[in-house]
Amino acid sequence: MKHISILMVDDHPIIIEGYQNVLMATKEDDQTLLIDTANNCDTAQLMINRASNGTPYDVCFFDISLPASEDGKYASGEDLALLTQKVMPDAKIIILTMFNESFRIHNIIKEINPDGFLIKSDLTSMELADAFQQILRFPPYYSSTVSNYIKKTISSEIYVDDINRKIIHLLSQGIKTKSLSEYIPLSTSAIEKRKKQLKLIFSVKDGKDESLLQEAREKGYL
């Protein structure tokens, strides 16, 4: 009998209940699932630290949007995933999130490189069950939105660094160029220069921000 120790972190108890029911109903005959749950960063980090000193978790599910810890040290599922990788390097990390913007997907893959990355709007019960079993054996498993993003960016010949990605992302959120320096540690003139480069990279002929965003969207950067 294989005992699989699991931590599920999501701030909606009904969602955790749904995940638990799916995994318990679809587990293989030789699997015993031991599931701990947490609804916020404080509870989760206590459980992670306790497990790292006792029986480490085999699999951890993290939602990205979570109530931050009291001390502000952990503000999201990303922070908890990084803590887990540090104290339990053998644990498989699964990110489940509503966020489906390319910028967030890129950052999560770059920072965490999870064993599983599932966008909630892609998920069915069967996909969650299949993903779980695949991640146990042959990670990684990415749901369709993540897979499509990776295919698009790998097939694109355009290289856009993290700051440029952030500029594109903020512009798409309606942030004006003169306000970008509030979000990015660069002067407005340095940001303007990067925008010009981006327009060259994306072959924007009319120089408009809207055209840049359209090209970025078509090539999978938004």
Side-chain angles (χ1 to χ4, degrees):
M1 191 63 83
K2 289 183 204 139
H3 286 75
I4 302 166
S5 181
I6 299 167
L7 174 64
M8 289 185 173
V9 188
D10 194 295
D11 58 342
H12 295 96
I14 196 161
I15 288 182
I16 285 187
E17 201 178 304
Y19 296 159
Q20 281 180 289
N21 291 343
V22 168
L23 296 192
M24 294 304 265
T26 57
K27 71 185 180 64
E28 295 183 357
D29 293 341
D30 66 342
Q31 292 174 337
T32 300
L33 308 186
L34 309 163
I35 303 175
D36 285 340
T37 67
N39 303 124
N40 56 55
C41 287
D42 272 325
T43 310
Q45 65 104 356
L46 283 173
M47 289 176 153
I48 291 162
N49 286 321
R50 188 179 65 204
S52 72
N53 293 315
T55 305
Y57 291 113
D58 299 301
V59 183
C60 295
F61 289 81
F62 294 113
D63 184 19
I64 291 296
S65 290
L66 294 168
S69 59
E70 290 279 332
D71 60 8
K73 200 171 169 189
Y74 302 99
S76 67
E78 285 165 279
D79 293 340
L80 294 172
L82 291 169
L83 168 68
T84 305
Q85 286 176 333
K86 197 163 112 189
V87 300
M88 288 185 285
D90 293 333
K92 294 197 162 54
I93 306 286
I94 301 175
I95 299 290
L96 291 123
T97 181
M98 289 301 292
F99 293 122
N100 59 7
E101 301 146 311
S102 297
F103 177 74
R104 291 307 298 268
I105 292 173
H106 167 78
N107 268 25
I108 289 165
I109 291 172
K110 186 166 180 285
E111 294 296 318
I112 300 164
N113 195 19
D115 300 285
F117 194 171
L118 311 171
I119 306 296
K120 289 181 181 179
S121 55
D122 291 343
L123 269 194
T124 61
S125 299
M126 274 319 298
E127 183 167 15
L128 178 62
D130 291 345
F132 179 67
Q133 295 300 335
Q134 187 177 315
I135 289 160
L136 288 177
R137 294 183 179 84
F138 311 111
Y141 181 96
Y142 299 141
S143 68
S144 56
T145 300
V146 181
S147 297
N148 290 339
Y149 163 75
I150 289 168
K151 277 182 209 146
K152 266 184 172 178
T153 49
I154 286 173
S155 64
S156 168
E157 292 167 13
I158 294 168
Y159 175 72
V160 179
D161 71 15
D162 286 352
I163 289 177
N164 285 349
R165 280 176 190 272
K166 195 161 188 183
I167 289 171
I168 292 169
H169 176 69
L170 292 167
L171 288 172
S172 78
Q173 302 294 303
I175 308 293
K176 299 281 180 261
T177 303
K178 62 177 184 291
S179 305
L180 289 177
S181 55
E182 293 168 28
Y183 302 85
I184 296 168
L186 290 175
S187 67
T188 302
S189 63
I191 290 169
E192 285 282 11
K193 195 182 287 179
R194 279 179 171 266
K195 267 179 62 182
K196 276 183 189 155
Q197 288 169 342
L198 280 167
K199 285 169 184 174
L200 285 171
I201 290 169
F202 284 102
S203 307
V204 173
K205 303 281 192 293
D206 62 12
K208 289 180 182 169
D209 288 358
E210 294 77 19
S211 306
L212 171 62
L213 295 177
Q214 191 179 335
E215 288 294 327
R217 207 167 274 117
E218 280 173 17
K219 293 184 170 61
Y221 287 91
L222 273 177

